[in-house]
Amino acid sequence: MCSFTVVYGQQASFEGVVRDAKQQVVPGVSVRLIELKRGKPSDAEGKFTFQGLKPGMYTLQASFVGYKTLQEKVNLVADKTLHLDLELVEASNDLKEIVVVGYVSQNEKPITIGKLLIKPMDLPQSVVTLDKSLLEAQQVNRMSDVLMNTNGVYIFGATGGYQEEIAARGFSMASSNTFKNGMRYANGMISELSGVEKVEILKGSAAILYGNVAAGGVLNLVTKKPKFNFGGEISLRTGSWGMYKPSVDVYGGLSQNIAVRLNASAEQANSFRVGVSSERVYVNPSILFKLSKKTELILEGDYLADQRTPDFGAGIINYQIVDIPRERFLGVAWSNIKSAQSSLNATLTHQINERWTVKWMSGLRQNSSNLFSNTRPNAGSLITSDGQWIRNLQKSEVEERYGISQLDFIGSLKVAGMKHQVLLGVDSDFYDTDTYAYNQFNRYDTVNVYSNALSSARNDQPAMTPLTKTMAPIRRFGIYAQDLIHLNEQWKVLAGIRYSYQQTLSDVYNYTTKKTTSSSNFDGAFSPRLGIVYKPSLNHAFFASYSNSFTLNTGVDINNQALPPSLIDQYEVGVKNDIWDGLVSVNVTAYRILNNNLAQNSLVNATTYSYVKEMAGSVQSEGIELDLMSKPVAGFSFSGGYSFNETKYVKSNTYIEGSLLKYNPRHTANVGIQFRHQGLQVGLTTVYIGERFAGRSTRVLVANDAYRLIALPAYLQADLTAGYTYKKMSLRARMANLGDVINYNVHDDNSVNPITPRNYSLTLTYGW
């Protein structure tokens, strides 16, 4: 059913919203003009817009899986805008889901992590969305697989082999920068992707939305949501070194207003590192309640338990990586780390009226880790030139509880003839972290890293005595407002501001002295944002933006006062293009990130205490990014990109000015090619990681400083995937690291983890 009214505008165009029979908006509907062979999907609010059209009669077609295709004639009149209300009717037959790959360009995918659903063409910021079809085709299993499709966002470390450390634009993405369904998750353990449907990356500053996040960007994992039609799949993946991973995904409606979904998987595997193994269990249940025509509630649970062998990789001698076989494991045989993370979050969405929506999200998370292993090579005990290494032992336990509550008002209104997309929000969250440290067990044994025969190795597991318990509660509060102002069809302005307040406490109990040392810090900061977009046409946009973020500091100044936050300025300019009738998206972005008040050791009165600091340093990150993505042509689709980044000390009394910060490659690039024909799929994905540095930066304050950087060579990795689907069965194969490239992720000079050599996986799936 289609109804419409005519309102005056500046040119022949039309806009509308798609709803179902219950008057719920329907996102992702394919809306096309048959005569022009042009189309676009409805956004997350069910809305779509076509502009810059010649007056005349057109055939409008709206189609979506599970609904009857709607086709209507519409007459566009010069200097008028046609407003359409489309209602889709459910199909009577039981249609199965059809995935249309590559139809939506990168510039047509609004991201939920941005809170305000702005079309990427209207957003003065770089965004990347990796959807379900791409993740499935590439058979991703770890975050490193996902990030083969991005540039400027990369894995920079894998400390202990039990985490994947992510960076963007020269800055580490710690747990404050990683989200799952809009709620922070702890990324100190390897992410599980079997329940993920989409990965969103918002590059650059997101402080206005989330407070004290690092300047490089934020990442959001969107899990699979409940559906009212019954379906699902079971699969079994096997691979190199005994990897075995069954998984299940089941969804369906319990009633007209309640739908559920359950994703679950289990995995166990050995490693190319002899003596290293892992096992994990993952469960992701969710339930959707349609409380009314305008209100829905979704509850989502997430549980991951992971147990594996800590592996700090090869050693370093005199700031050179030890040349030993990459399969050789140097750790204590019984080393173990157990990690678990569980969360529950609720999202309530209510459409107040056609223009205003209120969204409330609240969640709780609990995570823990228990590490008992050898210490890192060179962390307290250096490997001698002949390979002798005295192994010490370490033990630690961490328990963290996190909670958040967030309320957003999202509106669309017209003032003085200008359209406004408004976001008003408030959030509050807390961290309660308990960290247990143990006295290090020194001189456990001595081994030679060049020898296969570790005859002198001990195998007993000694008792270790507790040293300290650190309790570090954090309380945060933020209030923010943002407005995307459509001055006209060509000019847009995005403006907003946030105020954040954080209270950080610390109580350190010493088991030896039986005393507690306490400290506290209270910080507040404003985070403004201003961006301008100029669109000379529907398919081209130029933008410029300024934003400000902050990072908290520890320590005190020379007057024994707590340090204020470091404020970070970010400038970004770029152009977004959909060329050849939207067939290819070509986006170019340039940026500068500047921290002009970096905290560093104070030199006043020759102070040498590391906790006494001054806000006088400066770090600068500059770069340019190119992103390409095509829609399918004759079954072929293409994606790729290139990034140049230089992050360096501009001013420092601690390190050499002009020297590069560790871990950040100047050059990264990616190319992906996919071919699909009927049930066949073949793909090649490549990523290039340029030269970067680990080790330890030279200190200008230390005479004859022995610290040195370690240059890690560039490498190119290629993965090949293939799959075939016949009726309800599909078989997929993946060969990763085709060239069997040898390279390393290195943390400082003490965790040198080789990247995984050539390996394969096979996945058999049955769907219904």
Side-chain angles (χ1 to χ4, degrees), residues 370-582:
N370 188 326
L371 171 67
F372 195 3
S373 75
N374 55 275
T375 58
R376 308 176 191 182
N378 291 341
S381 180
L382 300 178
I383 303 174
T384 62
S385 58
D386 61 352
Q388 292 293 109
W389 176 34
I390 299 174
R391 297 193 297 186
N392 303 323
L393 300 183
Q394 63 176 332
K395 185 176 182 180
S396 65
E397 298 173 20
V398 178
E399 297 178 357
E400 183 178 88
R401 295 162 297 280
Y402 172 74
I404 185 173
S405 189
Q406 174 182 292
L407 183 66
D408 291 323
F409 289 90
I410 303 165
S412 176
L413 63 154
K414 284 189 177 181
V415 178
M418 295 181 293
K419 179 182 175 182
H420 295 256
Q421 289 179 257
V422 179
L423 169 67
L424 304 172
V426 59
D427 58 31
S428 177
D429 61 359
F430 71 86
Y431 287 91
D432 286 333
T433 305
D434 298 335
T435 304
Y436 300 83
Y438 288 75
N439 288 294
Q440 185 169 291
F441 192 104
N442 294 320
R443 308 187 72 87
Y444 174 69
D445 64 5
T446 301
V447 297
N448 192 294
V449 300
Y450 291 118
S451 173
N452 268 325
L454 301 179
S455 56
S456 60
R458 287 175 60 175
N459 289 314
D460 61 304
Q461 192 170 345
M464 295 182 65
T465 57
L467 175 61
T468 59
K469 176 184 178 181
T470 301
M471 295 158 284
I474 296 175
R475 300 295 182 265
R476 299 195 297 201
F477 171 81
I479 185 169
Y480 47 92
Q482 182 176 272
D483 186 9
L484 176 63
I485 307 169
H486 300 253
L487 302 177
N488 53 41
E489 298 295 342
Q490 286 75 42
W491 290 94
K492 325 281 181 181
V493 174
L494 181 65
I497 192 168
R498 175 192 179 98
Y499 176 74
S500 300
Y501 175 81
Q502 178 162 321
Q503 172 186 340
T504 305
L505 305 177
S506 176
D507 293 317
V508 181
Y509 175 76
N510 189 294
Y511 286 93
T512 302
T513 64
K514 309 297 184 181
K515 294 182 178 179
T516 299
T517 303
S518 300
S519 65
S520 60
N521 199 10
F522 304 88
D523 294 293
F526 286 95
S527 301
R529 179 182 194 179
L530 178 65
I532 299 175
V533 178
Y534 171 63
K535 297 173 65 176
S537 72
L538 290 175
N539 297 320
H540 305 279
F542 298 88
F543 69 87
S545 68
Y546 164 78
S547 56
N548 178 282
S549 59
F550 65 96
T551 183
L552 302 180
N553 292 307
T554 58
V556 297
D557 62 18
I558 60 173
N559 298 314
N560 204 37
Q561 298 297 309
L563 294 175
S566 293
L567 302 180
I568 304 172
D569 296 311
Q570 178 157 317
Y571 306 88
E572 190 167 340
V573 296
V575 57
K576 301 179 183 181
N577 303 279
D578 281 344
I579 61 175
W580 298 329
D581 198 24

Side-chain angles (χ1 to χ4, degrees), residues 336-356:
N336 188 272
I337 180 170
K338 298 178 181 178
S339 303
Q341 184 167 181
S342 58
S343 65
L344 176 66
N345 69 296
T347 303
L348 180 69
T349 304
H350 174 68
Q351 184 179 356
I352 300 173
N353 52 44
E354 289 188 356
R355 298 195 176 277
W356 284 94

Side-chain angles (χ1 to χ4, degrees), residues 619-638:
V619 165
Q620 175 181 282
S621 172
E622 291 184 317
I624 188 168
E625 297 165 345
L626 168 67
D627 292 286
L628 305 170
M629 179 172 284
S630 79
K631 296 179 182 179
V633 177
F636 286 93
S637 59
F638 166 86

Side-chain angles (χ1 to χ4, degrees), residues 126 128 151 203 585-588 625-629 640-642:
S126 178
V128 176
N151 62 80
K203 296 184 183 180
S585 297
V586 182
N587 300 339
V588 181
E625 297 165 345
L626 168 67
D627 292 286
L628 305 170
M629 179 172 284
Y642 164 77

